[in-house]
Amino acid sequence: MRISHALGAALALGTLSSPAAFAADTSGHKASEPMSRGAYIARTADCTACHTTNDNTPFAGGLAMPTPMGDIYSTNITPDTKTGIGNYSLEDFTRVLREGVNKQGDHLYPAMPYTAYTKMTDADIKALYDYFMNEVAPVERANKESDIPWPLSMRWPLAAWNWMFMDKGVYEPQADKSDAWNRGAYLVQGATHCSTCHTPRGLAMQEKASSEQEEGFLAGADLGGWHAFNITNDPIDGLGNWSDAEIVQYLKTGAVQGKAQAAGPMGEAVEHSFRFMSDSDLQAIATYLRSVPAVNEGVSEETSRFTQGEPTPVDVQVRGLDLDTAKKQAPGASLYMGNCATCHGADGSGSPDGYYPSLYHNSVVGTTRLDNLTQVILNGVHRENNHGELLMPAFKTQLSDEEVATLVNFVTDTFGNPDAEITADEVKDIRDSGE
Ligand code: HEC
Ligand code: HEC
Ligand code: HEC
């Protein structure tokens, strides 16, 4: 996934003492700006997430996506006739989204989420096609070949994969459900492809379920360095104890104080896609998520990751000690006071307006899956929302694997899940997996 943390890394700690909160929106796309129906659908489907590597040449492709056999690259989908999709007819374009087969007849790797886009209606695909052909600027840039060596690079086995695992076909509304529910189901299973990240995968990398009717839908999955949490309706493991308004707010802003924030791939999905969606579409998503059967894997049996921990003063642990003694006697507390407390508070409460979130009642600190907390410390948070920018600096150059492990264990012990534990080796793996 494309993450630009350069800004976050460049900003020294001290310069952030007054939050640059809600400064001007620099993206050039305000959520309130009117957009065509096709542009809106491109937003909901987040085509840009994988097809844009440089903001000056949107949709020109070239993003490397790792597979177990080697990297593949997203393609140029600007209307350039030589290197992009300028020669695609509506039928060709529809076939890509519905079947994962391109104009040359090659089967695409399911890294392109056609297993979700297959649910999109003809009218939505037509609007999307018109948008790409008429509103996106053509860019001449040749596609990159995949790094997968022959014979593994042969694409015909993908046809067999599709035959075994893909449920082809447009979403069919359920007559006994409300319009809002059907709209939500259509968006979640289709364009917004929540399932691509949140549904666990089987041995052949297929998603184990493609709708609420199959077991395990949205039950949580590892993305290589990140964990996309269980968002089924379970009150402990999933979103069962969130209100509809909180789900809408999370998708719109990426943050619900006292519950969760969106960093990494989810932060990007909020930044590039969900925050542009209408309130009624986000409400429809919340309505549908309510009906996704609860899955509880027993990771936490009584306390949800959102309710772990409480305010705990850390400064008292190092008070009166000189730096060297503090580092020896209370290594976790001194790392916390030195690196985190300025923003998240000496007792982990964050700031009253929630710009700096509390570390107790915070899903990434309250869980035993520590990938996300480790990533956030290593790589920081940078997310644009409809009011401005959110920035947490990256600590990867300042802190060693050992220090990050000490800090993660201290933060989870103090503010979150006491059963959570990480080693320096595991931090190294997450560091090496990249952002
Ligand atoms: C999660 C990443 C991802 C997202 C999101 C995504 N794509 Fe793709 N797309 C890819 C990858 C990777 C390929 C190349 C696959 C391959 O080489 O087999 C691809 C290939 C394509 C192709 C085939 C082009 C060609 O000439 O072969 C088209 C067209 C396309 N995508 C359009 C779209 C549209 C439209 C959207 C939004 C509705 C979208 N993609 C969203 C990853 C993505
Ligand atoms: C590109 C991958 C990706 C997509 C697409 C995606 N998510 Fe997520 N989601 C994640 C990751 C990773 C996290 C964890 C983020 C973090 O901890 O900072 C997450 C977190 C969440 C959370 C917070 C859960 C918690 O316990 O903290 C909610 C709610 C959520 N996603 C809902 C959705 C919905 C609804 C959709 C579709 C409309 C969606 N996501 C699409 C990757 C994704
Ligand atoms: C300069 C201020 C600043 C500093 C220093 C800082 N943070 Fe943050 N932190 C933020 C901001 C801003 C966010 C994003 C809030 C949001 O997404 O709404 C954040 C988010 C987080 C999150 C939630 C991430 C998620 O995905 O749910 C955690 C956990 C966190 N910080 C822990 C830490 C730790 C541990 C340290 C010390 C190594 C630290 N922070 C240092 C400003 C800071």
Side-chain angles (χ1 to χ4, degrees):
M1 300 279 139
R2 184 176 60 111
I3 304 187
S4 159
H5 283 294
L7 195 51
L11 275 166
L13 257 176
T15 62
L16 286 175
S17 51
S18 72
F22 313 123
D25 183 335
T26 52
S27 71
H29 315 273
K30 290 224 176 61
S32 54
E33 267 173 30
M35 53 178 132
S36 67
R37 188 172 149 70
Y40 182 78
I41 295 165
R43 283 289 183 194
T44 64
D46 206 3
C47 309
T48 205
C50 303
H51 287 280
T52 302
T53 45
N54 177 337
D55 286 336
N56 297 321
T57 51
F59 302 114
L63 182 75
M65 305 186 75
T67 78
M69 300 160 295
D71 284 356
I72 60 168
Y73 296 90
S74 70
T75 51
N76 182 340
I77 56 168
T78 71
D80 181 56
T81 48
K82 240 164 84 194
T83 58
I85 60 169
N87 292 325
Y88 271 59
S89 65
L90 174 60
E91 288 67 38
D92 297 332
F93 186 75
T94 306
R95 194 154 72 129
V96 172
L97 296 181
R98 288 261 170 81
E99 297 170 38
V101 175
N102 70 8
K103 190 176 172 75
Q104 292 80 43
D106 291 333
H107 282 273
L108 300 178
Y109 291 97
M112 160 76 187
Y114 55 84
T115 52
Y117 297 151
T118 189
K119 308 244 168 145
M120 293 170 74
T121 61
D122 287 346
D124 278 0
I125 292 180
K126 168 83 168 61
L128 192 58
Y129 176 77
D130 290 343
Y131 166 73
F132 276 101
M133 292 304 154
N134 304 316
E135 293 183 55
V136 172
V139 176
E140 192 180 326
R141 189 200 286 167
N143 289 328
K144 281 193 204 160
E145 285 293 322
S146 87
D147 301 338
I148 302 176
W150 191 86
L152 292 175
S153 60
M154 285 190 298
R155 285 173 178 263
W156 60 262
L158 291 165
W161 188 95
N162 286 337
W163 181 78
M164 285 173 70
F165 299 122
M166 186 175 167
D167 298 324
K168 244 180 256 176
V170 182
Y171 176 76
E172 281 172 32
Q174 295 187 25
D176 58 338
K177 297 287 196 334
S178 69
D179 287 353
W181 187 93
N182 274 304
R183 176 71 183 161
Y186 173 71
L187 287 166
V188 168
Q189 294 173 24
T192 63
H193 62 279
C194 316
S195 180
T196 308
C197 298
H198 285 277
T199 298
R201 291 180 185 257
L203 287 176
M205 293 306 290
Q206 82 282 14
E207 286 167 34
K208 284 186 171 160
S210 62
S211 79
E212 81 292 343
Q213 292 169 22
E214 293 165 334
E215 207 182 311
F217 188 56
L218 304 179
D222 287 320
L223 304 179
W226 287 90
H227 184 73
F229 292 107
N230 178 336
I231 56 168
T232 68
N233 204 33
D234 190 80
I236 302 293
D237 261 8
L239 301 183
N241 66 4
W242 287 39
S243 67
D244 283 12
E246 285 172 331
I247 296 175
V248 170
Q249 184 191 331
Y250 184 86
L251 295 172
K252 208 177 179 72
T253 68
V256 174
Q257 171 72 330
K259 287 212 158 58
Q261 291 78 40
M266 187 67 193
E268 293 197 353
V270 170
E271 173 168 341
H272 298 299
S273 176
F274 306 145
R275 75 179 163 116
F276 295 97
M277 292 177 68
S278 68
D279 287 348
S280 67
D281 275 353
L282 295 177
Q283 179 57 48
I285 288 177
T287 303
Y288 172 69
L289 288 178
R290 291 276 168 249
S291 70
V292 174
V295 174
N296 187 326
E297 292 170 331
V299 180
S300 41
E301 273 149 19
E302 286 139 23
T303 320
S304 80
R305 60 187 175 274
F306 314 109
T307 51
Q308 294 271 9
E310 56 190 15
T312 307
V314 176
D315 45 345
V316 295
Q317 299 182 30
V318 292
R319 192 169 289 159
L321 303 179
D322 64 69
L323 196 60
D324 283 342
T325 322
K327 273 186 183 161
K328 264 186 225 120
Q329 288 182 5
S334 59
L335 281 168
Y336 180 81
M337 289 310 295
N339 297 292
C340 320
T342 32
C343 297
H344 294 288
D347 68 349
S349 294
S351 58
D353 64 357
Y355 180 89
Y356 299 129
S358 66
L359 297 183
Y360 52 86
H361 294 190
N362 187 321
S363 68
V364 304
V365 186
T367 174
T368 51
R369 300 179 186 271
L370 296 177
D371 296 17
N372 301 10
L373 176 56
T374 308
Q375 287 276 10
V376 162
I377 295 173
L378 289 171
N379 297 311
V381 181
H382 174 218
R383 195 177 69 247
E384 223 162 79
N385 69 21
N386 294 335
H387 306 286
E389 268 186 299
L390 280 153
L391 273 179
M392 164 165 159
F395 290 89
K396 65 178 162 205
T397 51
Q398 280 112 297
L399 301 178
S400 66
D401 295 334
E402 199 70 52
E403 287 171 319
V404 172
T406 303
L407 190 51
V408 167
N409 290 328
F410 176 81
V411 167
T412 51
D413 279 349
T414 309
F415 302 117
N417 196 318
D419 296 334
E421 189 74 40
I422 199 165
T423 64
D425 282 346
E426 288 165 336
V427 172
K428 183 178 185 306
D429 287 345
I430 295 173
R431 193 193 285 267
D432 292 346
S433 77
E435 295 170 16

mmCIF file of all heavy atoms in Angstrom, residues 368-387:
data_model
loop_
_atom_site.group_PDB
_atom_site.id
_atom_site.type_symbol
_atom_site.label_atom_id
_atom_site.label_comp_id
_atom_site.label_asym_id
_atom_site.label_seq_id
_atom_site.Cartn_x
_atom_site.Cartn_y
_atom_site.Cartn_z
ATOM 1 N N THR A 368 -4.040 -8.315 21.755
ATOM 2 C CA THR A 368 -2.777 -9.058 21.859
ATOM 3 C C THR A 368 -2.056 -9.106 20.514
ATOM 4 O O THR A 368 -0.958 -9.620 20.414
ATOM 5 C CB THR A 368 -3.020 -10.506 22.331
ATOM 6 O OG1 THR A 368 -4.031 -11.076 21.515
ATOM 7 C CG2 THR A 368 -3.452 -10.536 23.792
ATOM 8 N N ARG A 369 -2.695 -8.591 19.459
ATOM 9 C CA ARG A 369 -2.042 -8.556 18.135
ATOM 10 C C ARG A 369 -1.302 -7.232 18.006
ATOM 11 O O ARG A 369 -1.914 -6.193 17.806
ATOM 12 C CB ARG A 369 -3.085 -8.670 17.036
ATOM 13 C CG ARG A 369 -3.875 -9.953 17.140
ATOM 14 C CD ARG A 369 -4.900 -9.991 16.038
ATOM 15 N NE ARG A 369 -5.775 -11.130 16.176
ATOM 16 C CZ ARG A 369 -5.547 -12.334 15.646
ATOM 17 N NH1 ARG A 369 -4.464 -12.521 14.915
ATOM 18 N NH2 ARG A 369 -6.388 -13.312 15.819
ATOM 19 N N LEU A 370 0.023 -7.309 18.143
ATOM 20 C CA LEU A 370 0.773 -6.069 18.341
ATOM 21 C C LEU A 370 1.369 -5.481 17.072
ATOM 22 O O LEU A 370 2.101 -4.495 17.126
ATOM 23 C CB LEU A 370 1.861 -6.315 19.392
ATOM 24 C CG LEU A 370 1.265 -6.661 20.774
ATOM 25 C CD1 LEU A 370 2.365 -6.973 21.772
ATOM 26 C CD2 LEU A 370 0.392 -5.537 21.288
ATOM 27 N N ASP A 371 1.052 -6.054 15.917
ATOM 28 C CA ASP A 371 1.589 -5.527 14.658
ATOM 29 C C ASP A 371 1.300 -4.038 14.506
ATOM 30 O O ASP A 371 2.186 -3.246 14.178
ATOM 31 C CB ASP A 371 0.951 -6.224 13.441
ATOM 32 C CG ASP A 371 1.272 -7.689 13.375
ATOM 33 O OD1 ASP A 371 1.692 -8.237 14.402
ATOM 34 O OD2 ASP A 371 1.080 -8.292 12.311
ATOM 35 N N ASN A 372 0.043 -3.656 14.730
ATOM 36 C CA ASN A 372 -0.352 -2.281 14.432
ATOM 37 C C ASN A 372 0.328 -1.284 15.365
ATOM 38 O O ASN A 372 0.816 -0.248 14.911
ATOM 39 C CB ASN A 372 -1.877 -2.129 14.521
ATOM 40 C CG ASN A 372 -2.612 -3.045 13.553
ATOM 41 O OD1 ASN A 372 -2.009 -3.916 12.942
ATOM 42 N ND2 ASN A 372 -3.903 -2.851 13.416
ATOM 43 N N LEU A 373 0.357 -1.604 16.667
ATOM 44 C CA LEU A 373 1.010 -0.701 17.625
ATOM 45 C C LEU A 373 2.488 -0.539 17.262
ATOM 46 O O LEU A 373 3.038 0.566 17.270
ATOM 47 C CB LEU A 373 0.848 -1.251 19.049
ATOM 48 C CG LEU A 373 1.552 -0.492 20.172
ATOM 49 C CD1 LEU A 373 1.131 0.975 20.214
ATOM 50 C CD2 LEU A 373 1.289 -1.147 21.528
ATOM 51 N N THR A 374 3.131 -1.654 16.895
ATOM 52 C CA THR A 374 4.551 -1.607 16.533
ATOM 53 C C THR A 374 4.744 -0.764 15.266
ATOM 54 O O THR A 374 5.648 0.081 15.198
ATOM 55 C CB THR A 374 5.075 -3.041 16.321
ATOM 56 O OG1 THR A 374 4.727 -3.810 17.465
ATOM 57 C CG2 THR A 374 6.576 -3.059 16.129
ATOM 58 N N GLN A 375 3.887 -0.982 14.274
ATOM 59 C CA GLN A 375 3.961 -0.196 13.030
ATOM 60 C C GLN A 375 3.805 1.293 13.291
ATOM 61 O O GLN A 375 4.523 2.126 12.715
ATOM 62 C CB GLN A 375 2.820 -0.605 12.080
ATOM 63 C CG GLN A 375 2.982 -1.950 11.428
ATOM 64 C CD GLN A 375 3.850 -1.883 10.181
ATOM 65 O OE1 GLN A 375 4.492 -0.864 9.893
ATOM 66 N NE2 GLN A 375 3.891 -2.964 9.441
ATOM 67 N N VAL A 376 2.836 1.615 14.167
ATOM 68 C CA VAL A 376 2.551 3.023 14.437
ATOM 69 C C VAL A 376 3.760 3.695 15.091
ATOM 70 O O VAL A 376 4.112 4.826 14.760
ATOM 71 C CB VAL A 376 1.277 3.130 15.311
ATOM 72 C CG1 VAL A 376 1.175 4.482 15.976
ATOM 73 C CG2 VAL A 376 0.039 2.839 14.480
ATOM 74 N N ILE A 377 4.420 2.972 16.003
ATOM 75 C CA ILE A 377 5.617 3.547 16.632
ATOM 76 C C ILE A 377 6.746 3.677 15.594
ATOM 77 O O ILE A 377 7.395 4.713 15.501
ATOM 78 C CB ILE A 377 6.071 2.702 17.840
ATOM 79 C CG1 ILE A 377 4.999 2.760 18.945
ATOM 80 C CG2 ILE A 377 7.425 3.188 18.381
ATOM 81 C CD1 ILE A 377 5.262 1.838 20.121
ATOM 82 N N LEU A 378 6.957 2.645 14.787
ATOM 83 C CA LEU A 378 8.042 2.686 13.802
ATOM 84 C C LEU A 378 7.784 3.739 12.720
ATOM 85 O O LEU A 378 8.684 4.491 12.345
ATOM 86 C CB LEU A 378 8.222 1.319 13.135
ATOM 87 C CG LEU A 378 8.814 0.192 13.991
ATOM 88 C CD1 LEU A 378 8.718 -1.133 13.238
ATOM 89 C CD2 LEU A 378 10.263 0.488 14.366
ATOM 90 N N ASN A 379 6.559 3.761 12.203
ATOM 91 C CA ASN A 379 6.294 4.548 11.000
ATOM 92 C C ASN A 379 5.423 5.774 11.201
ATOM 93 O O ASN A 379 5.177 6.531 10.261
ATOM 94 C CB ASN A 379 5.666 3.650 9.932
ATOM 95 C CG ASN A 379 6.625 2.546 9.502
ATOM 96 O OD1 ASN A 379 7.782 2.832 9.205
ATOM 97 N ND2 ASN A 379 6.174 1.312 9.510
ATOM 98 N N GLY A 380 4.905 5.966 12.411
ATOM 99 C CA GLY A 380 4.088 7.140 12.678
ATOM 100 C C GLY A 380 2.711 7.051 12.056
ATOM 101 O O GLY A 380 2.321 6.013 11.509
ATOM 102 N N VAL A 381 1.981 8.136 12.141
ATOM 103 C CA VAL A 381 0.649 8.208 11.537
ATOM 104 C C VAL A 381 0.615 9.493 10.727
ATOM 105 O O VAL A 381 1.040 10.546 11.207
ATOM 106 C CB VAL A 381 -0.471 8.287 12.617
ATOM 107 C CG1 VAL A 381 -1.851 8.344 11.969
ATOM 108 C CG2 VAL A 381 -0.388 7.124 13.600
ATOM 109 N N HIS A 382 0.131 9.397 9.506
ATOM 110 C CA HIS A 382 -0.090 10.599 8.716
ATOM 111 C C HIS A 382 -1.392 10.412 7.970
ATOM 112 O O HIS A 382 -1.494 9.563 7.096
ATOM 113 C CB HIS A 382 1.052 10.833 7.712
ATOM 114 C CG HIS A 382 0.768 11.984 6.801
ATOM 115 N ND1 HIS A 382 1.097 12.000 5.477
ATOM 116 C CD2 HIS A 382 0.138 13.152 7.030
ATOM 117 C CE1 HIS A 382 0.695 13.135 4.929
ATOM 118 N NE2 HIS A 382 0.115 13.847 5.856
ATOM 119 N N ARG A 383 -2.388 11.158 8.373
ATOM 120 C CA ARG A 383 -3.682 10.990 7.710
ATOM 121 C C ARG A 383 -4.318 12.345 7.498
ATOM 122 O O ARG A 383 -4.355 13.173 8.386
ATOM 123 C CB ARG A 383 -4.598 10.116 8.580
ATOM 124 C CG ARG A 383 -5.806 9.592 7.839
ATOM 125 C CD ARG A 383 -6.651 8.685 8.709
ATOM 126 N NE ARG A 383 -7.297 9.418 9.765
ATOM 127 C CZ ARG A 383 -7.036 9.296 11.056
ATOM 128 N NH1 ARG A 383 -6.151 8.426 11.472
ATOM 129 N NH2 ARG A 383 -7.672 10.026 11.939
ATOM 130 N N GLU A 384 -4.796 12.564 6.284
ATOM 131 C CA GLU A 384 -5.507 13.791 6.015
ATOM 132 C C GLU A 384 -6.976 13.520 6.276
ATOM 133 O O GLU A 384 -7.480 12.470 5.885
ATOM 134 C CB GLU A 384 -5.318 14.120 4.534
ATOM 135 C CG GLU A 384 -5.034 15.564 4.282
ATOM 136 C CD GLU A 384 -4.431 15.707 2.908
ATOM 137 O OE1 GLU A 384 -5.207 15.665 1.943
ATOM 138 O OE2 GLU A 384 -3.198 15.835 2.802
ATOM 139 N N ASN A 385 -7.638 14.415 6.970
ATOM 140 C CA ASN A 385 -9.082 14.241 7.050
ATOM 141 C C ASN A 385 -9.756 15.479 6.492
ATOM 142 O O ASN A 385 -9.092 16.358 5.946
ATOM 143 C CB ASN A 385 -9.541 13.872 8.469
ATOM 144 C CG ASN A 385 -9.391 15.004 9.458
ATOM 145 O OD1 ASN A 385 -9.309 16.168 9.076
ATOM 146 N ND2 ASN A 385 -9.355 14.664 10.725
ATOM 147 N N ASN A 386 -11.074 15.547 6.590
ATOM 148 C CA ASN A 386 -11.779 16.638 5.928
ATOM 149 C C ASN A 386 -11.513 17.986 6.577
ATOM 150 O O ASN A 386 -11.920 19.021 6.068
ATOM 151 C CB ASN A 386 -13.276 16.336 5.870
ATOM 152 C CG ASN A 386 -13.535 15.134 4.977
ATOM 153 O OD1 ASN A 386 -12.743 14.842 4.090
ATOM 154 N ND2 ASN A 386 -14.617 14.433 5.216
ATOM 155 N N HIS A 387 -10.822 17.990 7.732
ATOM 156 C CA HIS A 387 -10.538 19.247 8.407
ATOM 157 C C HIS A 387 -9.059 19.610 8.397
ATOM 158 O O HIS A 387 -8.695 20.696 8.790
ATOM 159 C CB HIS A 387 -10.994 19.182 9.865
ATOM 160 C CG HIS A 387 -12.418 18.780 10.000
ATOM 161 N ND1 HIS A 387 -13.453 19.622 9.713
ATOM 162 C CD2 HIS A 387 -12.979 17.606 10.358
ATOM 163 C CE1 HIS A 387 -14.600 18.992 9.894
ATOM 164 N NE2 HIS A 387 -14.336 17.775 10.276
#
